[in-house]
Amino acid sequence: MTTDPTRDGTPVPLLQVDDLAIEFATPDGVVRAVDGLSYSVSAGRTLAIVGESGSGKSVSSLAVMGLLQQPPARIVRGSIRFGGTELLSLGQKAHRAVCGENIAMVFQDALAALNPVHTVGWQLTEALRARHGMSRRDATARAVELLDLVKVPNAKQRVKEYPHQFSGGMRQRVMIAMALSMDPEVLIADEPTTALDVTVQAQIMRLLSEIQAERQMGLILITHDMGVVANVADDVTVMYAGRAVEQASVFDIYAAPAHPYTRALLGSIPRLDQKGGGLAVIPGRPPDPTQVPAGCAFHPRCAFAEDVCRADPPPPTVSLPFDRTSACHFAEEVMNHDEH
Amino acid sequence: MTSTDVVLEVRDLAKFYPVRRGIVLKRHVGEVKAVDGVSLSLRRGKTLGLVGESGSGKSTLAKVLVGIEKPTRGQILVDGEDVSNLGRAERRELRRHIQMVFQDPYTSLNPRMSVGEIVGEAYAIHPDAVPAGGKAKAVRELLDRVGLNPDHIHRYPHQFSGGQRQRIGIARALAVRPKILLCDEPVSALDVSIQGQVINLLEELQDDLGLSYLFIAHDLSIVRHIADEVAVMYLGRLVESGTDAEVYEVPSHPYTRALMSAVPVPDPSLRDQRREIVLEGDMPSPVDPPQGCHFHTRCWLAPLMESRVDPAGSQSRSIPTICRTESPKLGALESPDHLAACHFADDVSAH
Ligand SMILES: Nc1ncnc2c1ncn2[C@@H]1O[C@H](COP(=O)(O)OP(=O)(O)OP(=O)(O)O)[C@@H](O)[C@H]1O
Ligand SMILES: Nc1ncnc2c1ncn2[C@@H]1O[C@H](COP(=O)(O)OP(=O)(O)OP(=O)(O)O)[C@@H](O)[C@H]1O
Ligand code: SF4
Ligand SMILES: [Mg+2]
Ligand SMILES: [Mg+2]
């Protein structure tokens, strides 16, 4: 695996997604769940993917992992490359094999994913035993190591316990340990702290950051919590109705959002350190995925919309200074708009 | 605080659930002390935010207040009247004044009932609450009031989005013209962009109707936004309460401090300036809570206090005897309404 910087100093991305489009055939019609998504993540970097429920965050990640059920899903176009390898042309089995060794995912609802009838240690090493034919004793030793890695106290004892004996936070640690068991170069964490208390969320995020820094892993963090994003991300991709509507470095996007959706999202979150008046809101609601509005999908909710937004979809990537992009007819104006 | 300002008062309220083992005999082997001696007051037209980790007893408290669960001990006073001293009819009349909005807009509405039936259901229990114009008219007005189309009265819950369903839940709670609304995580199942709409609706309704809210939430930022006063729960007890500014700006219990510091601020430029207190471990079981101060097993302050009391003490985590043996009382700090239950409350902000 090459991770050497290229000549201009930017690292070669480990994982690169280009113009990915995914549809679902449903009784109500075709759902375009992901529509022209591109992103990349390099060693040691954290990419946060944010967006409303149904915007395509999980579906696109499952596609990266080769785990989409096809049908009903169909990958319409696009490319997913790991290192130099195009995964989409490999066939799903070979695709999964590449991921097994290199890309791991902590699934949304992971807390429900543990099997109640097997011990935690057994589940942690299932992949190792199956893939590498590891002996029982070695597997147990490795399970203890993995629990130690994710700072589950008393690992020797706890590998023998069952999932119901673990709290929510401890179970999430087990899921992270499981994802790390094959030493992945890229980890996708889909809402890893959503169901957890802030105190536990802080523990888990700290753990993820430490492990990432130590192993120089690429991390894709899917979340709806703009506070968590501000704390850990290097780069941010904002999704709306299947598209990446804005991509930028974390500092740029918070300082001057260049898409009206991002701007409205950041404006609508209450803050712990500020007592505000009325809460800014985004009117309306996300579109029905079978009936995405014509023109710009965000136009019915957008404060900047003009006739052109109702008629024409914006270019998928309006390039802006500092390597950022926004899919908005008025990207530059939105970015320079000052209302605060 | 004059007593007429207080619309709801709770004194030493407790709710214990029996723990039973065995399938046939169901031996009683202990108790879950879900709520254990909570006292608080809700002021008229104001919002009291209730925060605390999962399992700290917030929903149980709300369920006791709304009458879904019977308290194990303690008093509930509505407008100064003790609810438990009343006859059945009077109690029902008083209960009408406390209504609840539930967390999950997907499961809290009966899928087989139309919106009109859901919102009007409470009139069957409280016929005297039907306004002069009749039930149908009242329901239409309520839907309009919460920002839904009154013509959708015959639709079913699945035809509405999450945010709209939560509006239906609010309309249902408002039907019998309560004084007090208990909101248990009313927006946590909603998208960020929809949360704001529901919060603003609740604030508008409060201003127009003079409602008082007990607002339960995990999200400390939302509570900061909506609450006038804040109470913090840990393992069934209140550990701190005060005005929103007191609790958020001068948190005076080590647990509150830790909670606040764990909330990520949505501003990357503050990333390295904030010091976060990471609490170790999980909340202990409410079946067998720690002796003395409930929080001492996770407290970050106690070991610091011990080294002050006994600088030569052992290097391992040692806790002052008082924290391990005596339960701290909820006591006043600088202002008489700002209370914290910690033996070293005065030292919290110094660290
Ligand atoms: N098996 C499926 N059949 C049909 N449609 C699907 C299927 N799985 C996902 N979708 C649709 O694809 C879209 C994207 O879903 P996805 O799960 O990626 O959203 P998400 O951004 O992860 O949302 P959340 O924040 O709720 O997890 C949604 O409109 C969803 O309804
Ligand atoms: N019916 C019941 N029987 C036994 N124990 C119960 C019952 N209801 C709640 N408990 C226990 O009481 C404690 C407090 O629960 P409660 O639901 O009030 O917490 P909460 O603060 O609302 O938590 P969350 O933030 O997760 O909603 C928990 O330990 C819970 O397991
Ligand atoms: S009483 Fe002791 S253990 Fe409890 S919070 Fe205060 S310092 Fe910590
Ligand atoms: Mg998802
Ligand atoms: Mg609850």
Side-chain angles (χ1 to χ4, degrees):
Chain A
M1 224 359 285
T2 161
T3 55
D4 302 332
T6 50
R7 251 165 303 157
D8 63 354
T10 49
V12 175
L14 282 172
L15 174 69
Q16 193 158 6
V17 172
D18 269 305
D19 197 28
L20 184 66
I22 301 166
E23 286 179 353
F24 285 95
T26 76
D28 301 328
V30 171
V31 171
R32 186 51 78 96
V34 178
D35 196 2
L37 175 67
S38 305
Y39 64 72
S40 64
V41 60
S42 310
R45 304 277 291 180
T46 299
L47 168 70
I49 302 182
V50 300
E52 256 159 315
S53 182
S55 57
K57 306 182 296 293
S58 296
V59 165
S60 52
S61 308
L62 292 174
V64 168
M65 300 298 294
L67 294 174
L68 271 185
Q69 278 266 324
Q70 305 184 61
R74 189 169 75 88
I75 296 185
V76 182
R77 56 167 207 275
S79 145
I80 299 172
R81 266 172 299 163
F82 178 77
T85 315
E86 172 58 58
L87 301 182
L88 288 182
S89 57
L90 286 181
Q92 216 151 12
K93 199 163 167 216
H95 180 163
R96 280 182 207 166
V98 173
C99 289
E101 301 290 328
N102 300 292
I103 311 176
M105 182 159 167
V106 178
F107 296 96
Q108 194 170 8
D109 301 325
L111 298 184
L114 285 168
N115 188 332
V117 306
H118 292 296
T119 64
V120 162
W122 191 93
Q123 300 186 55
L124 266 175
T125 53
E126 199 176 358
L128 286 169
R129 280 176 287 118
R131 227 175 256 141
H132 296 318
M134 198 181 251
S135 75
R136 243 206 145 94
R137 173 184 297 187
D138 289 350
T140 305
R142 177 73 179 140
V144 173
E145 252 174 60
L146 285 165
L147 284 191
D148 273 337
L149 175 71
V150 295
K151 305 208 169 84
V152 170
N154 245 331
K156 269 211 178 73
Q157 175 57 38
R158 302 218 73 177
V159 284
K160 299 181 212 149
E161 295 180 358
Y162 291 86
H164 76 266
Q165 293 168 284
F166 282 64
S167 69
M170 286 297 156
R171 268 182 284 171
Q172 191 59 285
R173 285 171 197 260
V174 171
M175 296 310 298
I176 292 169
M178 205 178 284
L180 294 174
S181 69
M182 307 296 285
D183 286 321
E185 293 188 54
V186 175
L187 179 68
I188 304 177
D190 193 353
E191 305 271 10
T193 60
T194 299
L196 305 174
D197 283 311
V198 280
T199 49
V200 183
Q201 167 174 289
Q203 295 169 358
I204 298 279
M205 288 317 303
R206 172 173 291 198
L207 175 75
L208 272 177
S209 303
E210 279 171 14
I211 292 173
Q212 180 201 21
E214 209 176 281
R215 308 180 158 211
Q216 285 297 296
M217 253 179 354
L219 177 64
I220 298 177
L221 179 71
I222 299 175
T223 176
H224 63 267
D225 187 328
M226 297 305 280
V228 171
V229 173
N231 260 355
V232 303
D234 298 303
D235 304 295
V236 184
T237 290
V238 183
M239 290 188 74
Y240 189 81
R243 291 165 195 259
V245 293
E246 179 164 8
Q247 300 185 291
S249 88
V250 70
F251 295 102
D252 290 339
I253 216 164
Y254 281 74
H259 192 281
Y261 174 65
T262 318
R263 176 170 283 277
L265 192 62
L266 287 173
S268 67
I269 39 181
R271 285 179 58 154
L272 191 71
D273 53 352
Q274 284 170 12
K275 181 90 178 170
L279 213 49
V281 299
I282 309 181
R285 56 178 160 126
D288 178 335
T290 57
Q291 292 162 24
V292 178
C296 172
F298 187 59
H299 85 250
R301 309 176 73 190
C302 182
F304 292 81
E306 307 264 350
D307 286 340
V308 61
C309 307
R310 290 176 266 277
D312 304 322
T317 52
V318 177
S319 293
L320 297 163
F322 306 111
D323 231 4
R324 45 191 304 197
T325 62
S326 158
C328 171
H329 288 294
F330 303 107
E332 205 126 356
E333 278 164 73
V334 175
M335 188 178 68
N336 297 322
H337 186 85
D338 210 2
E339 60 188 347
H340 304 295
Chain B
M1 205 190 290
T2 65
S3 61
T4 52
D5 273 334
V6 175
V7 64
L8 175 70
E9 193 183 345
V10 167
R11 291 187 193 150
D12 191 33
L13 198 71
K15 174 68 193 174
F16 298 169
Y17 293 105
V19 180
R20 296 180 203 281
R21 288 274 152 70
I23 297 160
V24 185
L25 290 176
K26 292 237 188 326
R27 265 181 321 123
H28 183 127
V29 294
E31 270 159 343
V32 181
K33 300 190 172 88
V35 175
D36 189 6
V38 167
S39 302
L40 49 80
S41 330
L42 172 59
R43 291 193 293 148
R44 197 180 311 283
K46 300 285 181 190
T47 299
L48 172 63
L50 185 60
V51 301
E53 275 165 299
S54 181
S56 57
K58 307 180 296 295
S59 296
T60 303
L61 178 64
K63 284 181 196 158
V64 172
L65 292 177
V66 83
I68 299 174
E69 298 278 6
K70 263 187 132 71
T72 304
R73 64 161 202 272
Q75 291 172 293
I76 301 168
L77 291 83
V78 178
D79 272 330
E81 270 205 89
D82 190 337
V83 176
S84 46
N85 289 343
L86 299 169
R88 258 182 95 211
E90 287 167 297
R91 189 156 67 217
R92 196 174 58 196
E93 168 62 14
L94 256 189
R95 285 280 186 223
R96 171 168 87 76
H97 293 302
I98 309 181
Q99 295 293 319
M100 187 145 166
V101 177
F102 295 89
Q103 166 172 9
D104 191 344
Y106 296 91
T107 58
S108 61
L109 305 176
N110 184 338
R112 278 183 291 276
M113 284 168 74
S114 73
V115 169
E117 288 164 349
I118 290 170
V119 174
E121 196 183 12
Y123 293 134
I125 309 165
H126 303 287
D128 40 322
V130 180
K135 190 169 135 179
K137 180 159 170 277
V139 170
R140 292 179 65 92
E141 278 173 12
L142 282 163
L143 291 181
D144 189 46
R145 187 62 265 243
V146 298
L148 293 170
N149 185 343
D151 294 337
H152 291 173
I153 191 165
H154 299 298
R155 295 199 176 176
Y156 288 83
H158 75 266
Q159 294 171 289
F160 294 89
S161 69
Q164 289 174 320
R165 282 186 233 195
Q166 204 51 294
R167 289 171 193 265
I168 297 169
I170 294 169
R172 168 176 66 183
L174 292 178
V176 293
R177 283 170 291 136
K179 296 175 185 166
I180 300 160
L181 228 48
L182 310 179
C183 306
D184 192 359
E185 303 271 7
V187 298
S188 56
L190 305 175
D191 262 319
V192 181
S193 80
I194 308 297
Q195 286 186 353
Q197 298 174 1
V198 174
I199 295 285
N200 284 356
L201 171 66
L202 285 170
E203 292 193 307
E204 233 178 84
L205 290 169
Q206 180 165 57
D207 288 347
D208 294 354
L209 307 174
L211 294 167
S212 312
Y213 294 153
L214 179 70
F215 190 95
I216 298 172
H218 268 97
D219 187 329
L220 289 143
S221 307
I222 288 183
V223 171
R224 169 96 228 229
H225 176 84
I226 198 170
D228 303 295
E229 277 162 67
V230 180
V232 185
M233 264 183 107
Y234 187 78
L235 262 182
R237 296 182 181 168
L238 287 192
V239 295
E240 181 162 358
S241 67
T243 65
D244 130 80
E246 284 164 349
V247 174
Y248 279 83
E249 279 158 32
V250 199
S252 299
H253 192 283
Y255 177 63
T256 316
R257 275 283 298 278
L259 265 189
M260 300 288 173
S261 81
V263 178
V265 172
D267 184 348
S269 63
L270 300 177
R271 221 181 243 197
D272 303 318
Q273 294 167 27
R274 300 178 58 245
R275 265 209 38 236
E276 177 185 295
I277 304 165
V278 173
L279 283 186
E280 299 304 327
D282 299 318
M283 200 167 69
S285 158
V287 177
D288 187 18
Q291 294 288 304
C293 173
H294 276 11
F295 186 55
H296 85 252
T297 53
R298 296 169 80 198
C299 185
W300 54 270
L301 180 66
L304 300 174
M305 294 296 106
E306 171 70 359
S307 58
R308 193 183 64 182
V309 178
D310 174 19
S314 67
Q315 303 90 319
S316 71
R317 185 188 154 91
S318 57
I319 307 288
T321 311
I322 187 168
C323 297
R324 283 187 279 108
T325 54
E326 263 176 58
S327 170
K329 297 259 168 329
L330 203 55
L333 299 157
E334 253 149 54
S335 107
D337 287 338
H338 187 190
L339 312 174
C342 168
H343 294 302
F344 298 98
D346 294 334
D347 295 290
V348 173
S349 48
H351 286 271

